[in-house]
Amino acid sequence: MSESSDKQFKGRKHIFNKLKMSQKPIIKFGGCGGFYHYYMGICACLQDNYDINELSFETTSGSNFGPAILFKNIPVLEHYKVWQKRKEHFVNNNSVYDILKNMKEFFHTHCKECYQLETNCQLENINHSVKIKNYETNQNEIISDFKNIDDYVFICVASSYFPIPYLQTYMYSKERNTKYCDGSLDKYWYITMFLLPFLYLKKYLLSFFYKKEPHKKPENDYIIETELEILNEYILPIKYIFLLYYTIIGLFTNQHWLYHTGYYYAYKNIKPKLNKLNIKPKPKEQVYSQDKYKDLSNFKLKFDINTKQFIDN
């Protein structure tokens, strides 16, 4: 096949995937950092109530992992408990330097182990668009056409990998010959983080002195935006402090209350919308979020930073 024909084929395949996903409701998650607990809770509620193959997702950064667990048909809560134990062991037994240097491999190895479990997951049933940053161009790309399972897992992990100057700046995909990093951050996120308080203060002052009617997006029942509802009760400066705190601290600590808050948010806000669309209920072969899963309980907790593998304590 010539290079031009190959490009045309890939283009048609991408369009086909988009059409396939557009027939299903698209549930959108934003970048989250430590708020991944919240999005895991949302995914647990969806797993308990609906046929996951009838849904599609558009996510970025740490919010990628909930849908990845859903499509693998692994009980979300049981996975969440194992992940928390692994993370706790990793954080408590390594220096800050080693944590930051090896976090990429820690995430990636965990996700690869999850996708090696025996379930009925098929690549063609993964209706997931992942927003990821091309490190060299500093532009976002949305990828929904995955070459294989390994490529899917890699893209989910790379989209959540924040670049750390002089330490770890990107993940390189041999499959795509491209350098990637976190899809919710700028390549120079540390400069943006420094400016955020001033940007939030400017936005707050402008909203206080120049009140405008909120811009309403055209309604589309098949596009379901999610939000961090727990932050809505605070004014912007306080909201920024809480957002920054849990975005960072939630990465390294256990925030179970966020998981339960996310579950309740989905039950209250997303479930009525999906019911309105007559989405098929959970089939018998699909697990519940609280189901026991023997293979997960056999996961080793200690991550060896030298071999990049999980080993016995």
Side-chain angles (χ1 to χ4, degrees), residues 5-18:
S5 299
D6 185 49
K7 287 182 179 178
Q8 289 176 358
F9 172 76
K10 289 180 179 177
R12 288 195 296 269
K13 187 176 179 182
H14 181 71
I15 292 171
F16 172 77
N17 285 339
K18 281 291 185 182

Side-chain angles (χ1 to χ4, degrees), residues 45-46 49-50 221 224 263-279:
C45 182
L46 297 175
N49 290 279
Y50 300 102
D221 290 341
I224 300 175
Y263 194 106
Y264 177 70
Y265 169 83
Y267 192 87
K268 185 180 71 170
N269 295 283
I270 300 178
K271 194 169 182 288
K273 295 177 181 179
L274 295 177
N275 288 344
K276 182 180 176 182
L277 297 174
N278 296 317
I279 301 302

Side-chain angles (χ1 to χ4, degrees), residues 290-307:
Q290 299 185 49
D291 283 351
K292 300 299 178 185
Y293 199 81
K294 181 181 178 181
D295 290 340
L296 275 177
S297 63
N298 292 332
F299 270 23
K300 299 171 183 177
L301 300 183
K302 181 180 179 180
F303 183 74
D304 188 318
I305 61 175
N306 297 312
T307 63

Side-chain angles (χ1 to χ4, degrees), residues 66-228:
I69 295 302
L70 289 180
F71 288 121
K72 184 59 179 170
N73 198 27
I74 297 173
V76 172
L77 180 58
E78 284 302 294
H79 164 267
Y80 177 75
K81 289 176 180 178
V82 171
W83 164 249
Q84 292 300 103
K85 289 178 182 177
R86 279 185 158 182
K87 185 185 71 173
E88 185 176 358
H89 195 286
F90 180 64
V91 170
N92 291 342
N93 291 280
N94 291 287
S95 66
V96 173
Y97 175 82
D98 284 336
I99 290 169
L100 294 176
K101 185 178 179 181
N102 294 281
M103 191 177 293
K104 171 180 68 176
E105 289 82 6
F106 174 67
F107 285 157
H108 198 189
T109 304
H110 172 79
C111 292
K112 286 192 291 186
E113 284 193 5
C114 287
Y115 263 78
Q116 287 168 1
L117 296 174
E118 291 292 333
T119 68
N120 58 351
C121 173
Q122 301 294 329
L123 183 64
E124 56 268 23
N125 292 330
I126 295 177
N127 300 304
H128 193 181
S129 294
V130 178
K131 185 170 75 172
I132 192 169
K133 183 81 67 182
N134 184 311
Y135 185 79
E136 293 183 328
T137 65
N138 200 27
Q139 297 294 317
N140 280 331
E141 299 176 7
I142 296 181
I143 298 176
S144 59
D145 179 17
F146 305 101
K147 300 176 184 300
N148 48 55
I149 290 294
D150 287 341
D151 180 53
Y152 172 62
V153 171
F154 178 92
I155 292 299
C156 285
V157 174
S159 169
S160 67
Y161 182 69
F162 56 93
I164 305 173
Y166 310 110
L167 193 61
Q168 295 270 16
T169 51
Y170 58 82
M171 288 182 69
Y172 175 71
S173 169
K174 293 182 180 179
E175 192 88 46
R176 297 172 182 268
N177 190 28
T178 308
K179 299 173 182 176
Y180 292 114
C181 63
D182 197 308
S184 65
L185 294 176
D186 186 86
K187 180 179 178 179
Y188 306 105
W189 61 270
Y190 40 91
I191 299 175
T192 307
M193 289 293 285
F194 175 76
L195 295 174
L196 265 181
F198 304 100
L199 297 174
Y200 266 81
L201 182 60
K202 177 184 175 183
K203 183 177 179 181
Y204 174 68
L205 291 174
L206 287 174
S207 66
F208 183 81
F209 291 107
Y210 303 98
K211 293 184 178 180
K212 294 182 179 180
E213 289 293 324
H215 176 70
K216 293 185 178 180
K217 296 181 180 179
E219 290 189 8
N220 185 335
D221 290 341
Y222 281 84
I223 298 178
I224 300 175
E225 304 269 2
T226 57
E227 61 177 341
L228 294 170

Side-chain angles (χ1 to χ4, degrees), residues 26-30 39 56-59 223-227:
I26 301 173
I27 301 174
K28 293 189 173 186
F29 294 164
Y39 289 110
S56 60
F57 293 85
E58 186 175 303
T59 66
I223 298 178
I224 300 175
E225 304 269 2
T226 57
E227 61 177 341

